[in-house]
Amino acid sequence: MWFRKLVVIVAKSTMKCLPQTWVDTLKQSPYLLAMYSKNIHYSGLMYQLPTASETQTQYDKYLRFQHKKIQCESKQSLKQCSFNVVICIDAYDEALLVRTLQSIRESVRESENKASVILWARDECLPALAELANQYDELTITLVSELNKQCLQTELLDSSCFVVFSGDVISAQLPSVIAHFALNDSTVAYVDTDIMLQGQTLRSTPDFKPDWNPDLQLTNGYIRTGVWLKSLRFFADTSPHLSTFCIVRFLCYQYLVNRIVEVQHIPLTLVSRVAAEVDIHDGIDYLSDLISQYTEVRKSQKATLHLRWPLQKSPLVSLIIPTRNGKALVEACIESILNKTDYKNYEILLVDNNSDDIESLQYFDSLALHPKVSLIRYPAVFNYSAINNFAVKQAKGSIIGLVNNDIEVISASWLTDMVGQVLRDDIGCVGAKLIYASGRIQHAGVILGYGGGAGHAHKYFMDDHPGYNNRLIASHNFSAVTAACLLVNKSDFEAVGGLNEQNLAVAFNDVDFCLKIQNLGLRNLFCAEAVLYHHESISRGAEDTVEKQLRFKGELEYLQATWCEEIKSDPAYNRNLTLHSENFAIKDYPTEIEK
């Protein structure tokens, strides 16, 4: 193993020193790719997280790039606008409020726009706020204890506004962005944030958010400040009372009650928070009165909410497991399903693809005697897509489960949680959290664009790591999930024609399938509570031969040609994060902006 590690380390170091054009040329060689794949597969090396110093260096470069980019774009179409800001003061601290007001003052001076500020606080804070407001003559400040027509003029209620919390620092460029960003058709929009500690000027720890992700809002409240509203009345009518989590609840309400499908994301860090986000568990009482009307709210052991979506019925789930030989794998897989799964209404379809090992064949025949197991023969060349399409036609369940033969159940409720998710009328494919036997992440959602095609988010992170902004421990939406353990309604499977057996026999068929499901108007979801082992590709091996690499290359090219726009900008990711590795590091930005 030490030799393989040395080979990989030398290869990685060499690639970093070569011009990018050379690197791209080397990647076109199937032989070199096969050799590199084989060595990294067996070396035991994992992707490393960037250090705090590396992250700060990259973020400083990004901030310079962002500043210049906004300057260039705002000069092209200068426009004066009124800028209304609502400051939520859930706990009055004069120093924090001054920090926010001063940032608004600076933004007004830089943009030469007018600003109206609404200070939303409890009644007992209003006298102190009135004294403070007198120090800001250039701002029109209104003090309110409620956001309603009794406290606010109709003109303000019907105007657009930007909502933050006391202590937040607004970028001086925010008014320019709001004035020039394409918000004409938007009701709600949000920005990315970072942290600026009190008394300091250094901006750090950026929170580069995905585009509108309703399930991440429900489980993690990823949007908590920095929200633009076309009408303040829209916010006032659905915010019950002042709280640290009033924006979280407002956006949850828009999804659950109003069924809003579009919330615009402005991928620029334009608000600096005073500290890291508070634990969403602290707001569980405030949020539960709304969310619990739709789903059971459970307080997980980590800083997210576990939502157990109700099962009005327990539909039959058809778990399809293709295999060629692999007795030990199949036995571990099926026995774990039979013995550990608390959801009972399922059938297992074991699809034998040309097995020739006597011991495996005998074991498969014995499995067929089990009342929950059916043995299907598929006597043709290996084609993962074709095998599953063949099996689906014989499945009795209304829900299809695609399961690899190298999967082992860990959490007993895995199928209960996944079925609850897939039965929601706006959810398409549901994928599980898969870990290697070593305790590292194999799958926790698929990001488009990795390697020019797609790859697994947080791959090789430790399984107890919260991930980037809690995305390893929160169930939420991805553009795609792996078919190594995937649930989908049979009607949806059939609606898109199943997996692509003509062009994607082995690789990327699940990504292509998920994107077709997404085009039905459904959202795909990573279910963080469904945890299983995945002994990846033990039965077929790694993509480590020239033949396999050539086939892989052709399938990658098909994916790129078919889904080029989706790959160019994955809404479940963020354009400011790298596509060179799965660790959510900040992208390397140039010092100059291309004209």
Side-chain angles (χ1 to χ4, degrees), residues 482-500:
T482 182
C485 185
L486 178 154
L487 257 57
V488 66
N489 284 289
K490 188 176 183 179
S491 58
D492 293 334
F493 187 97
E494 293 171 339
V496 300
L499 301 177
N500 186 338

Side-chain angles (χ1 to χ4, degrees), residues 211-214 261-262 425-430 446-448 476-481 486 488 492-493 495-496 498 510-526 563 565-567 569-573:
D211 288 350
W212 176 230
N213 199 307
V261 294
E262 289 297 331
D425 59 11
D426 56 346
I427 296 297
C429 299
V430 176
V446 172
I447 297 291
L448 305 179
H476 64 288
N477 308 118
F478 276 90
S479 296
V481 291
L486 178 154
V488 66
D492 293 334
F493 187 97
V496 300
D510 47 5
V511 178
D512 175 78
F513 175 73
C514 285
L515 292 174
K516 290 188 294 185
I517 292 290
Q518 189 169 262
N519 276 354
L520 295 177
L522 302 171
R523 297 193 322 280
N524 300 315
L525 183 134
F526 157 63
W563 302 104
E565 290 304 315
E566 289 78 5
I567 290 173
S569 181
D570 187 344
Y573 201 45

Side-chain angles (χ1 to χ4, degrees), residues 4-16 36 45:
R4 292 190 188 277
K5 284 185 178 180
L6 181 61
V7 169
V8 173
I9 290 171
V10 170
K12 284 186 171 183
S13 300
T14 303
M15 298 283 265
K16 287 181 179 179
Y36 181 75
L45 287 174

